[in-house]
Amino acid sequence: MWHGPRQRTVVRMNITHERISILGLGAMGRALADALLEAGREVTVWNRTPGKADGLVARGAREASSVEEAIKAGDLTVVCLLDDASVRETLAPVAPTLDGRTLVDLTSGSVRQARELAGWLQGYGVQFLSGGIMAVPPTVGTEGAFILYSGARDLFDRVAPVLSPMARPHWVGEDPGFAALYDMAALSGMYGIAAGVDHAVTMVHAEGGDVEIFKREVLRPWLEQMLPFMVVGAGASETVVEDSNPGMQAAGLETMLAASEEAGVPAELVGHLRASLWRMRHAATAA
């Protein structure tokens, strides 16, 4: 269980958070800023390298010349940078001036990094939420996009309505590491599916099949049918759902690995199959 450092009392101002600053204008940062502008928010942007703010400025954003200027211009600052190290590097010079400021970090990182960043910033009196973006830039602001937030619930309740144009806000707990936890875990699931899809298409191509027909008429309908069962049946133990005979599953996976090898598919692409085979073998032993 995460326990933050003992904090001094911070006076919470009754502000509307309509003025928002965005630090970082990669593809995701630009998409977040664009969604906020579309919703009528007053947006200030900053990026380490020049030139990325031009389109946003043309739409009404203000470009700050420094991190300090950007933070002072907003009631709420959203950070969306490359990694945890870049967040620390960007905020360290201005940290002593952040007392009472509200900051939301949407940079991808680990659970430990999110907890340590929360402790570090709260030590300067920052009101802090960490987050994980469950969207890609083209889907920001659309119905299916959502953003995970963790940290103080009352702070989330205050800022969520203002940040909602970016994506549906979803609070996952007081522990500031939980947004990163669920973000990394969900991405792991996505990349597992992506690895399986890449391997499947490579197999079909290697044996002379029609890749486009396979993707359209076989792979996508099959995955759409099976995804709900995969999610429901997933577990952290070595057991599997009752209907999934682990011995039979293991035999099937061994056949898939053999077929992949016969097709000449690179061994590096079968890691997801070997992981599933390991799980089924252990489940069969446990049974």
Side-chain angles (χ1 to χ4, degrees):
M1 178 66 70
W2 178 87
H3 295 281
R6 185 180 299 276
Q7 299 300 319
R8 61 191 173 197
T9 300
V10 176
V11 177
R12 301 194 174 199
M13 299 176 65
N14 183 22
I15 53 180
T16 62
H17 293 314
E18 292 293 334
R19 300 182 304 164
I20 303 172
S21 296
I22 305 285
L23 304 184
L25 295 178
M28 183 60 77
R30 292 197 303 273
L32 297 175
D34 192 64
L36 292 169
L37 286 169
E38 184 71 22
R41 303 292 190 261
E42 182 181 330
V43 178
T44 298
V45 296
W46 172 88
N47 194 64
R48 186 183 306 276
T49 55
K52 290 189 175 182
D54 294 349
L56 295 169
V57 170
R59 295 201 56 205
R62 172 174 174 252
E63 184 176 12
S65 60
S66 68
V67 174
E68 185 173 13
E69 180 186 343
I71 292 174
K72 286 183 177 179
D75 300 311
L76 164 66
T77 298
V78 174
V79 183
C80 187
L81 297 171
L82 176 64
D83 54 21
D84 180 71
S86 62
V87 174
R88 296 281 191 141
E89 182 182 352
T90 298
L91 296 180
V94 299
T97 70
L98 296 178
D99 189 12
R101 295 280 178 179
T102 300
L103 189 145
V104 176
D105 182 29
L106 300 182
T107 305
S108 294
S110 71
V111 178
R112 175 187 58 80
Q113 288 171 338
R115 288 170 177 165
E116 290 180 353
L117 181 65
W120 179 62
L121 289 173
Q122 288 170 357
Y124 286 103
V126 177
Q127 300 174 64
F128 178 75
L129 290 175
S130 60
I133 303 173
M134 297 288 97
V136 292
T139 65
V140 167
T142 65
E143 184 177 347
F146 61 103
I147 298 177
L148 308 173
Y149 295 93
S150 57
R153 181 58 194 255
D154 61 339
L155 179 58
F156 168 79
D157 289 340
R158 286 196 292 133
V159 305
V162 179
L163 296 181
S164 60
M166 302 189 306
R168 174 172 55 85
H170 183 70
W171 184 74
V172 293
E174 295 274 346
D175 186 326
F178 276 11
L181 172 64
Y182 294 161
D183 179 32
M184 292 294 103
L187 288 173
S188 173
M190 181 196 73
Y191 277 104
I193 294 173
V197 168
D198 286 341
H199 177 260
V201 169
T202 303
M203 277 188 70
V204 170
H205 175 73
E207 294 286 16
D210 188 314
V211 168
E212 292 307 314
I213 288 178
F214 170 70
K215 289 196 294 186
R216 182 177 64 251
E217 299 182 8
V218 179
L219 186 59
R220 180 168 179 168
W222 173 241
L223 291 178
E224 288 175 345
Q225 177 189 164
M226 293 305 298
L227 184 58
F229 295 98
M230 289 190 291
V231 173
V232 170
S237 70
E238 294 183 356
T239 61
V240 297
V241 294
E242 186 176 349
D243 291 340
S244 298
N245 183 310
M248 181 186 71
Q249 297 285 341
L253 285 159
E254 287 168 349
T255 300
M256 289 179 230
L257 287 165
S260 179
E261 185 176 359
E262 290 171 6
V265 174
E268 289 80 3
L269 293 181
V270 300
H272 63 297
L273 296 179
R274 296 197 181 280
S276 294
L277 179 58
W278 176 89
R279 182 176 178 83
M280 292 303 168
R281 284 174 174 169
H282 277 71
T285 301

